[in-house]
């Protein structure tokens, strides 16, 4: 492993806004802030997650615009999270945190109803393994364990396949309301938060001339259904 990466991993351990808990520790002790994120942030403001946040571009940009909300970026790659966590410490953005974990384990970090919004930004479309897509039913079931009633979900992707799969195969089978969808965001009349900022990968895809797709939906589950 490069010296540069090791330095970043070492610095990650010093950031008060970056949480990394190994699988063993999660199994044995659980996550201390589960159900207690309000104590970490020092307020009861609603929480937004960015899944597969990479360097945390969306998390940081939205947190600057919405100081009345809290933002948590999630990724497995420590060297990428380092960028987001360092920026949030330096600015400082007190409404930002990061979790280093596999998204498969994300329900270990939040109590039922603790999260009200999720952004999925340019995740791997997993063309050969539908079950690994972050909008596959098993993942949406995992998120439902901690989402508040009427929570909002956003998917931004360059993958037409992932867009079609989510919009036409997954969402029609669920109790959700699609609020917005476009297979070419920047040539659409949509005028909302998805156009506010571009992530690192998004800028690369745009430079290649790829259209960006976007879906926003609202989960209609009642709390009772969520807790099943
Ligand atoms: C293509 S990058 C996009 C990063 C960022 N959202 C952007 O748009 O610039 C996908 C990110 O998802 C993360 N990722 C993919 N699968 C993951 C998983 N199962 N758990 C945690 N992170 C994952 C990768 O580490 C990577 O940083």
């Amino acid at each position: 492993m490069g010296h540069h990466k090791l330095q970043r991993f070492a610095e990650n351990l010093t950031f008060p806004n970056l949480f990394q808990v190994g699988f063993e520790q999660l199994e044995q002790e659980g996550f201390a802030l589960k159900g207690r994120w309000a104590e970490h942030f020092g307020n009861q403001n609603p929480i937004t997650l960015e899944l597969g946040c990479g360097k945390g571009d969306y998390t940081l940009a939205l947190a600057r615009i919405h100081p009345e909300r809290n933002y948590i970026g999630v990724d497995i790659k420590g060297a990428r999270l380092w960028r987001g966590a360092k920026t949030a410490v330096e600015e400082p953005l007190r409404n930002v945190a990061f979790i280093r974990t596999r998204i498969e384990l994300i329900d270990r970090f939040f109590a039922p109803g603790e999260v009200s919004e999720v952004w999925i930004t340019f995740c791997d479309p997993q063309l050969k393994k539908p079950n690994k897509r972050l909008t596959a039913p098993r993942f949406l079931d995992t998120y439902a364990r901690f989402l508040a009633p009427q929570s909002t979900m956003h998917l931004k992707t360059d993958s037409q396949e992932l867009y079609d799969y989510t919009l036409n195969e997954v969402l029609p089978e669920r109790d959700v309301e699609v609020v917005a969808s476009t297979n070419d965001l920047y040539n659409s009349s949509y005028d909302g938060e998805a156009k506010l900022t571009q992530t690192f990968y998004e800028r690369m895809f745009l430079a290649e001339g790829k259209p960006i797709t976007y879906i926003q939906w609202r989960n209609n589950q009642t709390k009772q259904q969520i807790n099943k």
Side-chain angles (χ1 to χ4, degrees):
M1 192 182 299
H3 179 61
H4 199 53
K5 230 178 200 182
L6 286 175
Q7 256 181 351
R8 289 186 171 188
F9 288 162
E11 200 174 359
N12 276 350
L13 298 173
T14 70
F15 292 142
N17 60 358
L18 175 56
F19 299 91
Q20 25 189 1
V21 186
F23 181 72
E24 290 292 310
Q25 198 185 338
L26 268 183
E27 282 281 282
Q28 282 161 19
E29 300 164 28
F31 180 62
L33 287 181
K34 180 173 180 170
R36 300 172 63 182
W37 280 97
E39 290 174 30
H40 169 74
F41 287 115
N43 60 56
Q44 300 275 350
N45 293 344
I47 293 176
T48 296
L49 298 189
E50 184 190 5
L51 300 179
C53 69
K55 299 177 182 184
D57 300 292
Y58 238 84
T59 295
L60 297 169
L62 291 174
R64 289 181 191 113
I65 299 169
H66 294 294
E68 77 287 0
R69 298 188 67 92
N70 297 318
Y71 289 85
I72 303 175
V74 181
D75 206 287
I76 191 61
K77 295 209 170 141
R80 292 185 182 178
L81 288 173
W82 171 87
R83 181 62 274 163
K86 191 169 178 72
T87 301
V89 165
E90 283 174 354
E91 281 199 24
L93 285 167
R94 299 189 207 286
N95 57 337
V96 167
F98 291 94
I99 301 174
R100 183 180 183 192
T101 187
R102 291 173 58 221
I103 293 161
E104 286 78 352
L105 300 175
I106 192 63
D107 57 330
R108 313 278 185 108
F109 292 82
F110 300 97
E114 201 168 18
V115 174
S116 65
E117 186 181 38
V118 173
W119 284 85
I120 302 173
T121 52
F122 300 93
C123 59
D124 184 337
Q126 298 284 357
L127 295 182
K128 294 196 175 141
K129 294 182 182 161
N131 204 31
K132 286 191 148 191
R133 296 174 186 163
L134 292 187
T135 56
R138 72 176 184 117
F139 275 99
L140 298 189
D141 289 345
T142 300
Y143 313 149
R145 292 191 194 111
F146 55 74
L147 284 173
Q150 300 293 311
S151 53
T152 300
M153 304 277 307
H154 309 257
L155 171 70
K156 236 179 150 183
T157 175
D158 62 304
S159 167
Q160 193 68 51
E161 290 87 343
L162 181 62
Y163 171 80
D164 286 338
Y165 164 80
T166 305
L167 189 63
N168 300 320
E169 289 185 45
V170 179
L171 295 184
E173 300 296 318
R174 304 185 73 90
D175 186 12
V176 305
E177 184 190 335
V178 175
V179 178
S181 66
T182 167
N183 64 2
D184 191 353
L185 180 65
Y186 295 104
N187 286 306
S188 74
S189 57
Y190 167 87
D191 188 25
E193 212 139 61
K195 268 186 181 165
L196 274 182
T197 186
Q198 291 162 356
T199 69
F200 178 75
Y201 273 84
E202 182 172 5
R203 289 192 293 274
M204 292 200 306
F205 295 135
L206 284 169
E208 291 168 18
K210 282 184 147 186
I212 302 303
T213 76
Y214 171 65
I215 312 173
Q216 180 187 150
W217 68 95
R218 188 176 308 115
N219 293 308
N220 290 328
Q221 295 109 315
T222 63
K223 199 156 191 194
Q224 216 175 5
Q225 284 171 316
I226 288 168
N227 288 341
K228 258 185 203 167

